Amino acid sequence: MLKWKRSLTVLAMTALLGTMAACGGNGNGNGATNKAEATPEPASTTAAATAAPSNEPVKLRIMWWGSQPRHEATLAALELYTKNNPNVTFEPEYSGMDGYLDKLSTQAAAKNAPDIVQLDPGWMPDWMSRGQLADLAPEVDVSKFDAKLLSGGQLDGKQYAVPLGSVAFGMVYDKAAMDKLGIANPANGWTWDDFFALAKESKSKLPEGQYFTLDYGGNYFMYSAYQYAKGKGQVITDDGHFNVDQAVFLEWTKKFEELRKEGLVPPADVNASDKENDPQMDLLAAGKVLFRYSFSNNLGTWDSIKPGAYALVTMPRAEEAGGWLKPSMYLSVSENSKHAEEAKKFINWFVNDQEAGNILKTFRGLPANKEIATALEASMSDLDKVGLGLLRATEPDGQTWSAGAGGWTNFIDKDWVLVRDQLSFGKVTPEKAFEQLKEASQAYEK
């Protein structure tokens, strides 16, 4: 099965480069050379207990990104942990995704990163290989986790990060608006031909100022899904080579060029103003677009903005599936933490305690701990069941996520973004955009 390159929304980490040798945050990850050949021996619960830190007062800094529901659930879990461990208190730092990596990178460069950090899977290879993270064994028990989810947090036989959940990459759509406008709803298993045909069919029904979808003509992740669906593999290979298929890229960008001309995607300035999950600036939440990409665990966030309005559907496919399965995110302990043992003890509780799982629910995806996931399925909310439905619909032949090759952060976060914006504003042709990407890639080739 083909492998996915890296995860959603990766920000540049140039603040780290050259600042410290043991520092990094590449957004696309490293290849097989940065992965352990086998899953480390799981730490036992007994080992975790015997390694328990003292009862001296400790304040742990913990940093994560997410939506308001995720923040509230995490804060409730921290409160419970302190109730059970009165000597441990927390200094939480949380925000949306925008700016998260820049802030964390700056802190890490100054050797002032929080004790516990939430990391995107795509950042893991560089963070591990540059010595940013502490080995979690034997304090953190990973015996109830799927080896495929664990592998992205491993390097040289050590477990530097523990996965918090598994998610599927698909699409969210405004079902309420589409029903009102008389636009047909998509079904799991739909194709890219279906997607573009539905866009054209919706034109006569869309009121002024409302659009079918965001302008994804230059979007790295959506293009990746299209190239996967066409059977052309990863955009950047695991061994670090540019693999954008020219014919597929031109086909994709020209389709969005047509949507742009027909007014089915927002004007460039409106499209650029989109801020995912923001009640005012998210173009889906604001009713400006009907479709955007999403992960299976994110429906609750949009539902909290407009209850009952949204639904999920698989990423469109072609010869192969377009969507993929991946770890949602990882939790790690900073190498420079002065309270590493307490931090590891907390992570072990966070990922293995059923009471914690009951609080955290599926705000970070279906829990990676198999026992907690099974226990939660029986009592899932209707929204969680919709997310689980997308996960299950993607599982049979969905692409398998892989951290891919390291060293391509700037290509994705700068070179590709520049081309994306030029396409959106009509500054380059699809042909010229491909040439620019191929030329820029030479600096990153292994």
Side-chain angles (χ1 to χ4, degrees):
M1 186 179 290
L2 296 173
K3 294 182 179 179
W4 165 234
K5 166 75 175 55
R6 54 169 256 171
S7 65
L8 175 62
T9 313
V10 178
L11 301 174
M13 294 197 65
T14 53
L16 294 178
L17 299 178
T19 306
M20 57 189 295
C23 185
N26 193 323
N28 45 309
N30 237 334
T33 56
N34 275 359
K35 296 177 185 173
E37 293 299 321
T39 304
E41 287 297 319
S44 68
T45 305
T46 302
T50 57
S54 69
N55 289 322
E56 292 294 320
V58 170
K59 177 176 284 188
L60 296 175
R61 291 172 58 208
I62 177 171
M63 186 172 178
W64 73 89
W65 77 84
S67 61
Q68 189 59 34
R70 182 187 297 169
H71 297 333
E72 293 172 358
T74 307
L75 291 171
L78 300 185
E79 184 179 352
L80 175 61
Y81 190 81
T82 296
K83 179 180 178 181
N84 294 338
N85 301 270
N87 65 306
V88 181
T89 55
F90 295 91
E91 183 179 332
E93 301 176 32
Y94 52 93
S95 65
M97 186 61 162
D98 287 351
Y100 178 89
L101 185 53
D102 286 338
K103 179 180 179 180
L104 180 57
S105 300
T106 301
Q107 293 176 332
K111 298 185 183 295
N112 187 39
D115 301 286
I116 303 163
V117 292
Q118 179 178 290
L119 297 169
D120 186 275
W123 308 338
M124 292 308 307
D126 280 347
W127 279 76
M128 292 186 292
S129 63
R130 292 178 176 172
Q132 284 297 96
L133 308 175
D135 183 6
L136 298 179
E139 289 83 359
V140 180
D141 179 6
V142 295
S143 62
K144 298 179 179 66
F145 290 71
D146 190 313
K148 292 180 180 178
L149 296 179
L150 288 170
S151 64
Q154 297 168 0
L155 176 65
D156 297 334
K158 296 182 178 181
Q159 192 77 45
Y160 290 101
V162 61
L164 297 179
S166 59
V167 296
F169 186 56
M171 301 198 80
V172 59
Y173 63 96
D174 191 333
K175 184 179 188 305
M178 291 174 67
D179 289 346
K180 183 177 180 180
L181 294 170
I183 299 173
N185 289 184
N188 287 339
W190 66 327
T191 67
W192 281 111
D193 287 343
D194 295 332
F195 175 85
F196 288 110
L198 186 60
K200 299 290 181 67
E201 291 168 13
S202 71
K203 183 176 181 180
S204 62
K205 300 177 181 179
L206 288 169
E208 185 176 354
Q210 192 171 32
Y211 309 91
F212 182 73
T213 186
L214 288 167
D215 187 342
Y216 286 131
N219 184 277
Y220 176 86
F221 300 101
M222 287 293 279
Y223 172 70
S224 297
Y226 192 72
Q227 179 164 306
Y228 269 133
K230 292 292 182 175
K232 299 299 182 178
Q234 297 172 212
V235 172
I236 299 167
T237 64
D238 280 340
D239 56 355
H241 295 292
F242 178 78
N243 189 47
V244 176
D245 185 276
Q246 184 174 12
V248 173
F249 181 82
L250 294 180
E251 182 178 278
W252 171 260
T253 50
K254 287 181 178 180
K255 283 181 180 294
F256 270 89
E257 192 173 55
E258 293 176 16
L259 297 187
R260 216 171 286 131
K261 291 177 180 177
E262 295 183 25
L264 288 166
V265 297
D269 57 338
V270 176
N271 198 74
S273 72
D274 175 70
K275 187 175 181 181
E276 189 176 11
N277 296 149
D278 184 291
Q280 282 75 45
M281 300 183 70
D282 183 307
L283 294 184
L284 179 74
K288 299 292 185 181
V289 298
L290 299 178
F291 282 86
R292 69 177 304 146
Y293 71 62
S294 179
F295 285 98
S296 56
N297 63 315
N298 287 346
L299 183 60
T301 300
W302 279 293
D303 190 76
S304 68
I305 299 171
K306 194 182 297 183
Y310 306 108
L312 298 175
V313 67
T314 51
M315 186 61 65
R317 60 181 301 121
E319 289 80 3
E320 296 185 16
W324 53 81
L325 299 172
K326 63 178 285 291
S328 57
M329 57 203 69
Y330 285 93
L331 206 60
S332 298
V333 174
S334 299
E335 176 62 26
N336 294 318
S337 171
K338 296 179 180 178
H339 308 293
E341 297 307 305
E342 281 288 2
K344 294 175 189 178
K345 179 184 175 185
F346 165 76
I347 289 181
N348 186 61
W349 175 86
F350 195 80
V351 299
N352 289 317
D353 185 88
Q354 185 63 58
E355 195 171 8
N358 293 341
I359 293 174
L360 297 167
K361 301 186 187 303
T362 59
F363 290 119
R364 288 177 171 87
L366 187 69
N369 180 305
K370 295 177 181 179
E371 290 187 359
I372 293 177
T374 299
L376 284 181
E377 284 189 35
S379 59
M380 277 185 177
S381 68
D382 290 341
L383 286 175
D384 287 339
K385 289 177 182 177
V386 173
L388 182 62
L390 175 57
L391 189 72
R392 297 293 185 240
T394 305
E395 282 176 339
D397 66 348
Q399 309 294 340
T400 301
W401 178 86
S402 168
W408 288 76
T409 299
N410 285 344
F411 176 75
I412 294 168
D413 294 342
K414 291 186 177 181
D415 298 303
W416 195 292
V417 167
L418 176 61
V419 170
R420 178 201 70 191
D421 292 343
Q422 289 176 329
L423 280 168
S424 181
F425 282 92
K427 300 298 184 182
V428 294
T429 63
E431 290 82 3
K432 180 62 176 176
F434 177 81
E435 291 175 10
Q436 287 183 200
L437 288 175
K438 187 172 183 179
E439 182 178 351
S441 74
Q442 300 307 306
Y444 307 92
E445 285 281 344
K446 299 297 184 183

